[in-house]
Amino acid sequence: MFTTRPTLQGTFGMVSSTHWLASQSAMAVLEDGGNAFDAAVAAGFVLHVVEPHLNGPAGEVPVVLAPAGGEVRVLCGQGVAPAGATVDHYRSLGLDLVPGTGPLAAAVPGAFDAWMLLLRDHGTKSLADVLKYAIGYAEDGHAPVERVCETVETVRELFEREWPTSAEVYLPDGTPPRPGELFRNPALAATWRRLTAEAEAAASGDGGASREAEIEAARAVWRDGFIAEALVRQAGRPTMDTSGERHVGTLTADDLRGWEASYEAPVTYDWNGWTLCKAGLWSQGPALLQQFALLPGSVAELPEYGSAAYIHLLVEGCKLAMADREAWYGDAGAAAERVTASELLSAAYNAERRRLIGEKASRDLRPGAPGGRDPRLSAHALAVAAGDTPGADTWGGTAMAGAGEPTVAGDGGTRGDTCHIDIVDRWGNMLSATPSGGWLQSNPVVPELGFPLGTRLQMTWLEEGLPNSLTPGRRPRTTLSPSLALKNGVPVLAFGTPGGDQQDQWQVHFFLGVVMRDAVRGGLDLQGAIDAPNWHTEAFPGSFHPREMRAGSLTVESRTAPEVVEELRRRGHVVTVGGAWSEGRLCAVAREPGSGVLSAGANARGMQGYAVGR
């Protein structure tokens, strides 16, 4: 079939990311003898520069990695709530929800330390080797993509009126960046140059400038040096946020000093000969696994690929998995009350849940009761499920549209989005990473550093006793959801996408496309699965401020066959026909274990994601 691009194939290395400069920078690292993990770190820091509306160093990144010959692991780069971030404190400020912007929404930054841990433990390159690409683009400039320019224009008034340090970076001479003109962030370049110099000096002073010692010194500078000092100063500055008030944050030096990224085992699910690997219940990842647990165990039992019956089955399964996400996912509940991923993925539990899928679309939020526990939803989630909150289509009079990119209101409020990177190298190392947060529209730029704090705490609830309640020292539940798939115990496929709550909807359809469609040139048809018409539903409480829900909603691309749309409406779905290329920004790489042939594909939607390789 026709695809926007070929599925690339080769034997040396493959990279797919949401920006061509990140993809090519990663490829340059591979060409210079680095491995997939070196390349990922270089690409991650380039994405901070070229997609600042989608991620930043003070954001977060979960990584699913498979070292050649080793075990699959999850690297958690999601920071926790600061010690002062209590429900009582936020309630005392008159808040019912954590603001969508500003320092009150800032968790302990997680992305930088996770990239450093990946480089230290699995990479081969020095700190300077991997940072030079980002430093170059920040210092010498890059031509920004249209969405950067549009995002800055949308928040121009906020920057000029309330966030002058952001205006200094993103409104030079009073105008937003323009496509085709070089945009620079010299403060960010200076930050990385100083970090590198201090790390090299500290490592040399300890008796030998080893690669690992330099990386450890850089981590110390972030947690306890000039970067930490600047981040804490910024958190203490009164800042206008989406509540319409100015607030200071809760982040302290002790919070930064006391947290570091960590490894954990993935949550897995076996389906149709594949093993799917995701991050745990602090992430959205198990929702993808549960959607497969709700499907028949064999491809032969599925409805025709792309048919109305197929889409209906996937959408209704998604609603059930996301209802369970709302009731059971999170890092904050008491240990005795926490539901495990194995309970939510068990055959008996999902057989019971599967019986709820009928011929008609459900408009109810229906969490299950694993182990006989009664589900508990937040008061806000119950209200949006009952339709007792303002409509989900607008916020503050500003239309919210554009799945797959952050949709920004004039006051800086955003549904949020992210980036993605998948890499496989000639040795068989493979990883999938979803860097996000720390968006240019999330918080004012820290003037000494050139980047802002993040806003991930907006995903927590200001209500005690829930799995995702705002709780000091606990991770907010995140939508970030990189994926890795094994066949016969061997890593074969890494994939993922930006898209907030949509990530694990688009990825289900992508993976089924890989499994159900004919292979291309003897390998997996990655590009065909990426290009296939996609969809999403918002029939559950959203993860981003203002946390709304559209019962029964289903948005499909206009390339979806008219008869399929009509049948979906007959089944009770409230169908919106969106743009022809509006759903998903998937990336993917693969490795055939027998031959060692590598492959890659990247999403053409958004006109900036690219795969490269040879």
mmCIF file of all heavy atoms in Angstrom, residues 223-224 228-229 232 250-259:
data_model
loop_
_atom_site.group_PDB
_atom_site.id
_atom_site.type_symbol
_atom_site.label_atom_id
_atom_site.label_comp_id
_atom_site.label_asym_id
_atom_site.label_seq_id
_atom_site.Cartn_x
_atom_site.Cartn_y
_atom_site.Cartn_z
ATOM 1 N N ARG A 223 21.930 18.871 41.382
ATOM 2 C CA ARG A 223 21.202 18.693 42.643
ATOM 3 C C ARG A 223 21.612 19.691 43.719
ATOM 4 O O ARG A 223 20.818 20.003 44.605
ATOM 5 C CB ARG A 223 21.421 17.271 43.186
ATOM 6 C CG ARG A 223 20.750 16.169 42.410
ATOM 7 C CD ARG A 223 20.653 14.905 43.259
ATOM 8 N NE ARG A 223 21.968 14.440 43.681
ATOM 9 C CZ ARG A 223 22.673 13.508 43.049
ATOM 10 N NH1 ARG A 223 22.190 12.953 41.956
ATOM 11 N NH2 ARG A 223 23.850 13.124 43.501
ATOM 12 N N ASP A 224 22.893 20.175 43.630
ATOM 13 C CA ASP A 224 23.405 20.905 44.791
ATOM 14 C C ASP A 224 24.321 22.065 44.404
ATOM 15 O O ASP A 224 24.989 22.629 45.273
ATOM 16 C CB ASP A 224 24.183 19.936 45.691
ATOM 17 C CG ASP A 224 24.141 20.341 47.154
ATOM 18 O OD1 ASP A 224 23.237 21.101 47.539
ATOM 19 O OD2 ASP A 224 25.024 19.883 47.912
ATOM 20 N N ALA A 228 20.796 23.981 40.904
ATOM 21 C CA ALA A 228 19.844 23.812 42.012
ATOM 22 C C ALA A 228 19.504 25.157 42.643
ATOM 23 O O ALA A 228 18.326 25.440 42.930
ATOM 24 C CB ALA A 228 20.435 22.875 43.062
ATOM 25 N N GLU A 229 20.512 25.989 42.863
ATOM 26 C CA GLU A 229 20.262 27.305 43.468
ATOM 27 C C GLU A 229 19.326 28.140 42.613
ATOM 28 O O GLU A 229 18.408 28.800 43.134
ATOM 29 C CB GLU A 229 21.598 28.024 43.668
ATOM 30 C CG GLU A 229 22.493 27.372 44.707
ATOM 31 C CD GLU A 229 23.906 27.930 44.688
ATOM 32 O OE1 GLU A 229 24.165 28.846 43.861
ATOM 33 O OE2 GLU A 229 24.748 27.459 45.474
ATOM 34 N N VAL A 232 15.622 26.759 42.744
ATOM 35 C CA VAL A 232 14.942 27.073 44.001
ATOM 36 C C VAL A 232 14.570 28.552 44.058
ATOM 37 O O VAL A 232 13.471 28.916 44.511
ATOM 38 C CB VAL A 232 15.822 26.668 45.199
ATOM 39 C CG1 VAL A 232 15.223 27.179 46.508
ATOM 40 C CG2 VAL A 232 15.983 25.147 45.250
ATOM 41 N N THR A 250 6.776 25.143 45.956
ATOM 42 C CA THR A 250 7.186 24.449 47.178
ATOM 43 C C THR A 250 8.554 23.794 47.052
ATOM 44 O O THR A 250 9.046 23.222 48.021
ATOM 45 C CB THR A 250 6.155 23.368 47.548
ATOM 46 O OG1 THR A 250 6.067 22.408 46.480
ATOM 47 C CG2 THR A 250 4.774 23.987 47.782
ATOM 48 N N LEU A 251 9.179 23.864 45.887
ATOM 49 C CA LEU A 251 10.454 23.190 45.652
ATOM 50 C C LEU A 251 11.567 23.820 46.486
ATOM 51 O O LEU A 251 11.739 25.037 46.489
ATOM 52 C CB LEU A 251 10.811 23.276 44.164
ATOM 53 C CG LEU A 251 12.055 22.528 43.704
ATOM 54 C CD1 LEU A 251 11.832 21.017 43.787
ATOM 55 C CD2 LEU A 251 12.435 22.933 42.279
ATOM 56 N N THR A 252 12.326 22.981 47.172
ATOM 57 C CA THR A 252 13.430 23.459 48.021
ATOM 58 C C THR A 252 14.733 22.757 47.644
ATOM 59 O O THR A 252 14.740 21.762 46.896
ATOM 60 C CB THR A 252 13.153 23.189 49.506
ATOM 61 O OG1 THR A 252 13.188 21.764 49.736
ATOM 62 C CG2 THR A 252 11.816 23.763 49.933
ATOM 63 N N ALA A 253 15.828 23.274 48.208
ATOM 64 C CA ALA A 253 17.136 22.652 47.987
ATOM 65 C C ALA A 253 17.146 21.217 48.495
ATOM 66 O O ALA A 253 17.747 20.324 47.878
ATOM 67 C CB ALA A 253 18.220 23.478 48.673
ATOM 68 N N ASP A 254 16.491 20.966 49.615
ATOM 69 C CA ASP A 254 16.443 19.601 50.150
ATOM 70 C C ASP A 254 15.702 18.657 49.206
ATOM 71 O O ASP A 254 16.068 17.474 49.092
ATOM 72 C CB ASP A 254 15.780 19.592 51.524
ATOM 73 C CG ASP A 254 16.682 20.143 52.616
ATOM 74 O OD1 ASP A 254 17.911 20.212 52.399
ATOM 75 O OD2 ASP A 254 16.148 20.517 53.683
ATOM 76 N N ASP A 255 14.641 19.149 48.558
ATOM 77 C CA ASP A 255 13.912 18.322 47.592
ATOM 78 C C ASP A 255 14.825 17.904 46.442
ATOM 79 O O ASP A 255 14.825 16.736 46.027
ATOM 80 C CB ASP A 255 12.711 19.087 47.031
ATOM 81 C CG ASP A 255 11.646 19.382 48.067
ATOM 82 O OD1 ASP A 255 11.352 18.493 48.885
ATOM 83 O OD2 ASP A 255 11.104 20.501 48.049
ATOM 84 N N LEU A 256 15.575 18.860 45.908
ATOM 85 C CA LEU A 256 16.483 18.560 44.801
ATOM 86 C C LEU A 256 17.602 17.622 45.248
ATOM 87 O O LEU A 256 17.978 16.685 44.537
ATOM 88 C CB LEU A 256 17.080 19.853 44.245
ATOM 89 C CG LEU A 256 16.134 20.707 43.407
ATOM 90 C CD1 LEU A 256 16.687 22.111 43.239
ATOM 91 C CD2 LEU A 256 15.889 20.061 42.045
ATOM 92 N N ARG A 257 18.112 17.857 46.426
ATOM 93 C CA ARG A 257 19.227 17.067 46.942
ATOM 94 C C ARG A 257 18.810 15.628 47.255
ATOM 95 O O ARG A 257 19.631 14.706 47.189
ATOM 96 C CB ARG A 257 19.759 17.745 48.211
ATOM 97 C CG ARG A 257 21.147 17.339 48.634
ATOM 98 C CD ARG A 257 21.588 18.172 49.829
ATOM 99 N NE ARG A 257 21.741 19.582 49.482
ATOM 100 C CZ ARG A 257 21.098 20.581 50.082
ATOM 101 N NH1 ARG A 257 20.232 20.343 51.068
ATOM 102 N NH2 ARG A 257 21.309 21.833 49.716
ATOM 103 N N GLY A 258 17.543 15.441 47.572
ATOM 104 C CA GLY A 258 17.100 14.141 48.068
ATOM 105 C C GLY A 258 16.515 13.202 47.039
ATOM 106 O O GLY A 258 16.074 12.103 47.403
ATOM 107 N N TRP A 259 16.493 13.600 45.750
ATOM 108 C CA TRP A 259 15.870 12.720 44.744
ATOM 109 C C TRP A 259 16.868 12.364 43.657
ATOM 110 O O TRP A 259 17.724 13.170 43.276
ATOM 111 C CB TRP A 259 14.659 13.409 44.101
ATOM 112 C CG TRP A 259 13.976 12.513 43.102
ATOM 113 C CD1 TRP A 259 13.011 11.582 43.356
ATOM 114 C CD2 TRP A 259 14.248 12.425 41.692
ATOM 115 N NE1 TRP A 259 12.651 10.930 42.196
ATOM 116 C CE2 TRP A 259 13.411 11.424 41.162
ATOM 117 C CE3 TRP A 259 15.124 13.094 40.836
ATOM 118 C CZ2 TRP A 259 13.407 11.079 39.803
ATOM 119 C CZ3 TRP A 259 15.140 12.743 39.483
ATOM 120 C CH2 TRP A 259 14.285 11.748 38.981
#
